[in-house]
Amino acid sequence: MSSVAHLRLQDIATAQVRTVLPEMPVRDAVRIFSAEHISSLVIAREARPLGILTERDLVNLLAQGISLDKPVGEVMSTALLTANRSLDFASAQLMMLERGVRHLVLVDDDGCLCGLATETDFRRRVGKDLLHLLGQLGRVMDHAGTLLDPAVPLAQVVQLMAAGRLDYVLAGREGRAEGILTERDISRLLLEGIPAETTSMGAVMHQPLISITLGCSVIDVAARMEQEQIRHLVVVDDGGRCLGVVSQHRLLEKLGFALAEERRGRVMHDMEMIMATTGVGLW
């Protein structure tokens, strides 16, 4: 049995959820993202969640040039995924995987907001036994594609992130990654009013990069992410050339698949035991 089998959402979620009213201007919401380094804001009224504003939404705002004077109620995601706080860890992780979201809003039996579970909350609870399910690092990383030239305009990079629902983009030359731009950077760029058309990616990306080698284990990766308080690590070979990126999101996505396979295996084992003991065949 895994070390998280006994956990419920209420055990891992953040109870103090940052909420705002739907009338708040987007500009003020962006300030909260930037100052508090959070990945989402729940829009609520009288303890009832109405929607959510995430870092991915901020990418879309920048890509579309939407005015920051608009109220958050007009730009929030209303397809809110809620769950009861008693839901178990594995079921919650599979629910997020199936719906393609990275935040679960917890509600009580009356539908009132009582917590928020993010991918970071899940990662911090994943023990070595579950990380072993993921296998070698090469199985969970995004293999390196074309590195963007640091001179590419920021506007083009943001459009790429929005269209591909990417949470990061790497810049580099001749196979060597030089910097990274992530969703977390977008609130800062919005707040500073960076002119996306005339600013290069190289002027705003994070550098130098924090990297690991392919020989590291998935357990090492999770520990390094926690130590550095980051969600992306660049994987390099012995010569420093970029092999890919391992992200918190991809780790948890792969974990969801592993948990689903483990659950399917348990069901099949139980079915076989029933058939063996009762003599009933499977039709």
Side-chain angles (χ1 to χ4, degrees):
M1 182 177 293
S2 69
S3 61
V4 297
H6 65 288
L7 291 178
R8 297 291 180 265
L9 276 179
Q10 61 192 11
D11 300 319
I12 69 171
T14 302
Q16 300 299 320
V17 185
R18 196 64 164 90
T19 63
V20 298
L21 292 169
E23 294 82 15
M24 173 180 278
V26 170
R27 190 182 311 278
D28 292 342
V30 170
R31 288 194 181 97
I32 296 173
F33 272 93
S34 182
E36 301 183 16
H37 305 292
I38 55 178
S39 61
S40 67
L41 278 174
V42 175
I43 291 79
R45 191 187 300 280
E46 297 179 356
R48 295 193 177 274
L50 306 173
I52 191 168
L53 190 70
T54 69
E55 290 173 321
R56 179 168 290 165
D57 295 321
L58 298 187
V59 173
N60 293 330
L61 290 177
L62 184 56
Q64 297 168 22
I66 294 175
S67 170
L68 299 186
D69 295 323
K70 279 184 172 290
V72 292
E74 292 186 16
V75 299
M76 68 184 183
S77 300
T78 55
L80 194 64
L81 185 60
T82 61
N84 190 278
R85 55 189 174 185
S86 63
L87 188 67
D88 67 274
F89 181 97
S91 296
Q93 180 59 42
L94 291 173
M95 180 187 293
M96 293 174 72
L97 174 64
E98 291 169 358
R99 293 287 295 273
V101 300
R102 293 174 290 175
H103 303 84
L104 266 179
V105 175
L106 276 63
V107 292
D108 59 22
D109 294 337
D110 295 322
C112 292
L113 178 68
C114 61
L116 178 71
T118 70
E119 285 189 330
T120 299
D121 294 320
F122 279 86
R123 174 179 58 77
R124 287 174 175 164
R125 288 291 190 165
V126 173
K128 293 181 179 180
D129 54 341
L130 284 182
L131 291 175
H132 276 306
L133 292 176
L134 300 179
Q136 299 298 315
L137 181 58
R139 293 181 56 193
V140 299
M141 76 176 188
D142 299 327
H143 292 273
T146 303
L147 298 174
L148 294 182
D149 190 293
V152 169
L154 176 61
Q156 183 177 330
V157 177
V158 174
Q159 291 291 341
L160 181 65
M161 292 177 70
R165 295 173 63 83
L166 306 176
D167 61 344
Y168 73 90
V169 175
L170 277 183
R173 286 166 285 208
E174 298 179 356
R176 295 180 180 273
E178 299 176 22
I180 188 170
L181 189 74
T182 73
E183 286 179 334
R184 178 138 293 180
D185 298 311
I186 302 302
S187 62
R188 170 177 58 87
L189 301 178
L190 282 168
L191 201 57
E192 294 175 1
I194 300 293
E197 295 290 344
T198 58
T199 302
S200 69
M201 179 179 176
V204 296
M205 67 187 184
H206 285 287
Q207 55 181 334
L209 289 168
I210 299 176
S211 61
I212 55 171
T213 62
L214 194 57
C216 290
S217 69
V218 176
I219 294 173
D220 294 332
V221 167
R224 188 73 182 277
M225 285 182 175
E226 183 64 22
Q227 175 188 349
E228 302 287 350
Q229 294 294 293
I230 57 176
R231 296 178 291 186
H232 304 84
L233 283 169
V234 177
V235 184
V236 298
D237 63 16
D238 293 335
R241 293 179 66 83
C242 180
L243 299 175
V245 175
V246 57
S247 68
Q248 173 176 277
H249 177 66
R250 192 68 68 220
L251 275 179
L252 290 168
E253 183 181 71
K254 297 293 186 181
L255 176 61
F257 288 128
L259 288 172
E261 185 61 27
E262 185 184 62
R263 178 170 290 184
R264 189 184 73 85
R266 288 201 303 269
V267 171
M268 292 302 295
H269 176 265
D270 292 344
M271 289 292 292
E272 290 171 359
M273 290 292 292
I274 292 171
M275 290 187 288
T277 57
T278 63
V280 176
L282 181 63
W283 183 26

